[in-house]
Amino acid sequence: MIFNRRKKWNGQVASLLPTFDLTIEIVGPMAALEALDMVYPKGFSPQEGALYLAYLTYSTFIKEGDARADNLKNRIGFAEEDWIAAGRVNPKIVSTWREKAKIWESALR
């Protein structure tokens, strides 16, 4: 029963990744599962889970100098605003992730 809830949640997270122009293959299947293992017990919504994966992928893109980083950052911003307004993500969590993203970006300068 618990496994079925988790499986459903994972599927919901995966179905939201196209919002960021991402797939599980781009994120990395094992990396995605490991990341989701960390946030599922915290009660993250599917939107928060997808946003978490998007931020992790953004950090990878930044570190690797991947040209997709700018597009991903823009998509993250649009999704955050919509999902905060809809009450689907916690603004405090989003604020923390935004601060982390600033640190990653400044490390490249």
Side-chain angles (χ1 to χ4, degrees), residues 55-95:
Y55 268 106
L56 290 177
T57 304
Y58 178 64
S59 74
T60 300
F61 285 177
I62 289 283
K63 291 173 189 169
E64 295 176 352
D66 193 310
R68 296 176 287 180
D70 287 336
N71 179 51
L72 180 53
K73 184 177 180 181
N74 290 333
R75 287 177 171 265
I76 287 171
F78 287 123
E80 285 175 338
E81 294 307 318
D82 285 346
W83 292 346
I84 287 171
R88 297 185 179 183
V89 298
N90 183 331
K92 290 180 183 179
I93 292 171
V94 169
S95 177

